[in-house]
């Protein structure tokens, strides 16, 4: 009953939202409003799935989808905050993936005209609405594709298959300073469930001084990124919502460069803080706003080391594991090698005492010169995890139910610690 009530209120709020468009005073307000329109559509879709008697919905599915619905509303607000608009008015408020390790391409993208399309966007647009749960593979040949790509909620089980990191590159330059909201600054944005990317570099070239500039945003449930690179500065990788898994990937950035409110595990990845303009790096900014959300960032068996541009000056730069973007921010680093660039305090406040008692930040069995917890912060929400059973809650098998869907993708993963 409460879910049905939430759906009714959300639909009422959406109707009110449409009427606010003409009241926007400038292009930036219109951009934030447009984000809200899209996000409310996704929210209604997710809540519908929890109440539809014909949709398979486990308690974990329902919690995931409702967590995403709440995240969408927060993202709607954030668009206005991006532009410093404080007097805004807005309404308040399947496991089938890949079956083959050597996928056969449905279409080929090639800049030289040797494929079916010259741009990734054209290949996506040509798909139209899909029926069935079969995989649809877009093979993107080696090249640098300067475009912004959106894979919408109706496009499920899509795969972008590239020729490898640094060979197939999709790059854009949208940023908040350039007039986009954080949400819409993404070079590639994916919402359709069951998305997989392999062998692709996702890049945002807005630069270190243009503030939020996303390379990849995923709101795709049961999405997998394998052997990919994410390159940017502030807000590089937007793990927006739903269940996500990253394996053997590279992530580059400066401020909050792995952020969002998905339930996400990064495993066997390389994390490269870069040289920041303000001499401070924060690797993560997790966005859980409610303690009932099953979301968080789990970094498992990864490596954190300075990017080439940071190495010569890393002694003068403070690099932290994360800071609490939202009140119930939850992040863990487990069995990860932390190089000497990590500040001894480990974690950085967001603003004063905000969220220091309500966050959940944990470290378990990390190694390397930056892994000592002797001088870590003494916040109530921070803990050195000593129990293997507590740490196991954040492994792929437990945190994102990996055993039920990742094997079908043929992407390697370790289920437990």
């Amino acid at each position: 009953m409460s879910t049905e009530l939430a759906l009714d209120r959300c639909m009422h709020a959406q109707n009110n939202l449409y009427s606010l468009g003409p009241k926007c005073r400038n292009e930036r307000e219109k951009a934030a409003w447009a984000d809200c329109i899209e996000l409310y559509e996704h929210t209604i879709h997710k809540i519908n799935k929890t109440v539809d008697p014909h949709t398979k919905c486990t308690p974990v599915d329902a919690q995931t989808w409702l967590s995403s619905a709440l995240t969408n509303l927060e993202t709607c607000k954030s668009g206005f905050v991006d532009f410093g608009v404080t007097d805004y008015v807005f309404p308040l408020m399947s496991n089938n993936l890949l079956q083959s390790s050597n996928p056969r391409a449905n279409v080929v993208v090639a800049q030289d005209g040797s494929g079916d399309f010259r741009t990734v966007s054209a290949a996506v647009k040509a798909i139209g609405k899909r029926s069935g749960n079969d995989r649809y593979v877009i093979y993107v040949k080696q090249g640098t594709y300067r475009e912004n790509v959106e894979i919408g909620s109706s496009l499920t089980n899509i795969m972008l298959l590239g020729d490898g990191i640094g060979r197939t590159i999709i790059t854009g330059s949208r940023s908040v300073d350039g007039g986009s909201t954080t949400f819409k600054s993404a070079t590639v944005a994916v919402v359709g469930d069951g998305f997989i990317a392999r062998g692709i570099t996702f890049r945002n070239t807005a630069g270190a001084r243009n503030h939020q500039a996303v390379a990849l945003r995923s709101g795709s449930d049961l999405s997998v990124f394998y052997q990919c690179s994410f390159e940017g500065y502030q807000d590089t990788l937007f793990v927006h919502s739903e269940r996500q898994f990253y394996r053997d990937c590279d992530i580059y950035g400066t401020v909050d460069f792995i952020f969002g409110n998905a339930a996400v595990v990064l495993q066997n990845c390389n994390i490269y803080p870069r040289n920041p303009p303000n001499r401070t790096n924060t690797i993560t900014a997790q966005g859980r706003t409610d303690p009932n959300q099953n979301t968080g960032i789990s970094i498992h068996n990864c490596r954190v080391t300075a990017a080439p541009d940071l190495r010569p000056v890393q002694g003068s730069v403070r690099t932290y594991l994360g800071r609490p973007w939202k009140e119930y921010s939850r992040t863990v680093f487990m069995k990860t090698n932390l190089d000497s660039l990590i500040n001894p305090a480990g974690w950085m406040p967001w603003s004063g005492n905000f969220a220091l008692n309500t966050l959940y930040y944990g470290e378990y069995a990390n190694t390397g010169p930056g892994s000592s917890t002797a001088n870590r912060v003494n916040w109530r929400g921070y803990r050195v995890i000593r129990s293997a059973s507590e740490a196991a809650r954040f492994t792929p098998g437990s945190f994102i139910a990996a055993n039920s869907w990742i094997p079908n993708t043929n992407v390697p993963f370790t289920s437990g610690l």
Side-chain angles (χ1 to χ4, degrees), residues 232-274:
Y233 291 88
Q234 182 171 348
D235 289 8
T236 303
L237 177 57
F238 194 173
V239 291
H240 180 260
S241 55
E242 308 289 349
R243 290 164 286 192
Q244 307 180 23
F245 181 66
Y246 295 74
R247 171 79 182 206
D248 298 349
C249 292
D250 298 337
I251 307 100
Y252 295 81
T254 53
V255 178
D256 307 337
F257 64 96
I258 303 171
F259 78 110
N261 197 23
V264 57
V265 179
L266 288 77
Q267 190 173 78
N268 288 34
C269 293
N270 297 305
I271 298 171
Y272 295 112
R274 305 175 86 166

Side-chain angles (χ1 to χ4, degrees), residues 254 256-257 273 280-285 299 304 317-324 329 331-333 338-350 356 359-363 366 369-379 381-384:
T254 53
D256 307 337
F257 64 96
T280 302
N281 284 323
T282 45
I283 295 171
T284 65
I299 295 176
V304 179
V317 172
R318 296 180 303 248
T319 297
Y320 298 93
L321 300 175
R323 60 177 181 157
S329 184
T331 301
V332 296
F333 282 74
L338 305 177
D339 210 345
S340 58
L341 77 165
I342 300 300
N343 187 278
W347 306 81
M348 177 182 171
W350 183 272
L356 303 187
L359 58 77
Y360 181 108
Y361 284 168
E363 297 181 57
N366 295 316
S371 66
S372 171
T373 57
N375 296 304
R376 289 296 196 249
V377 294
N378 60 357
W379 308 335
Y382 169 75
R383 75 277 328 273
V384 177

Side-chain angles (χ1 to χ4, degrees), residues 119-358:
T119 67
V120 180
S121 296
V124 171
K125 186 177 181 180
I127 298 172
K129 290 191 175 181
R130 300 197 67 222
S131 60
N133 293 316
D134 57 311
R135 173 188 43 174
Y136 189 93
V137 179
I138 302 172
Y139 169 42
V140 187
K141 285 189 173 182
Q142 179 176 352
T144 300
Y145 298 83
R146 292 177 173 83
E147 54 180 311
N148 290 82
V149 181
E150 291 195 25
I151 298 176
S153 58
S154 64
L155 299 180
T156 59
N157 298 327
I158 303 296
M159 180 179 192
L160 290 185
L161 177 63
D163 278 328
I165 291 174
R167 293 169 61 84
T168 296
I169 301 166
I170 307 175
T171 182
S173 59
R174 291 178 182 169
S175 68
V176 166
D177 273 14
S180 295
T181 60
T182 302
F183 184 73
K184 280 296 183 183
S185 69
T187 299
V188 175
V190 184
V191 181
D193 292 344
F195 176 80
I196 295 184
R198 178 174 178 175
I200 294 178
T201 292
F202 300 92
R203 182 179 291 166
N204 190 311
T205 61
R209 298 185 182 276
N210 278 324
H211 295 101
Q212 298 95 323
V214 175
L216 184 283
R217 164 170 57 85
S218 178
S220 167
D221 198 15
L222 311 179
S223 53
V224 173
F225 298 83
Y226 181 44
Q227 296 176 339
C228 290
S229 182
F230 307 90
E231 301 175 6
Y233 291 88
Q234 182 171 348
D235 289 8
T236 303
L237 177 57
F238 194 173
V239 291
H240 180 260
S241 55
E242 308 289 349
R243 290 164 286 192
Q244 307 180 23
F245 181 66
Y246 295 74
R247 171 79 182 206
D248 298 349
C249 292
D250 298 337
I251 307 100
Y252 295 81
T254 53
V255 178
D256 307 337
F257 64 96
I258 303 171
F259 78 110
N261 197 23
V264 57
V265 179
L266 288 77
Q267 190 173 78
N268 288 34
C269 293
N270 297 305
I271 298 171
Y272 295 112
R274 305 175 86 166
N275 187 13
N278 66 352
R279 321 314 299 158
T280 302
N281 284 323
T282 45
I283 295 171
T284 65
Q286 204 281 327
R288 194 168 63 140
T289 58
D290 187 299
N292 295 301
Q293 290 180 304
N294 61 347
T295 54
I297 296 172
S298 174
I299 295 176
H300 181 219
N301 196 33
C302 294
R303 293 156 299 281
V304 179
T305 189
D309 66 334
L310 178 59
R311 286 173 199 155
V313 295
Q314 73 177 55
S316 64
V317 172
R318 296 180 303 248
T319 297
Y320 298 93
L321 300 175
R323 60 177 181 157
W325 181 31
K326 301 294 181 181
E327 189 172 3
Y328 294 93
S329 184
R330 181 162 63 170
T331 301
V332 296
F333 282 74
M334 308 190 299
K335 292 191 170 181
T336 288
N337 186 275
L338 305 177
D339 210 345
S340 58
L341 77 165
I342 300 300
N343 187 278
W347 306 81
M348 177 182 171
W350 183 272
S351 178
N353 292 323
F354 172 73
L356 303 187
N357 293 332
T358 50

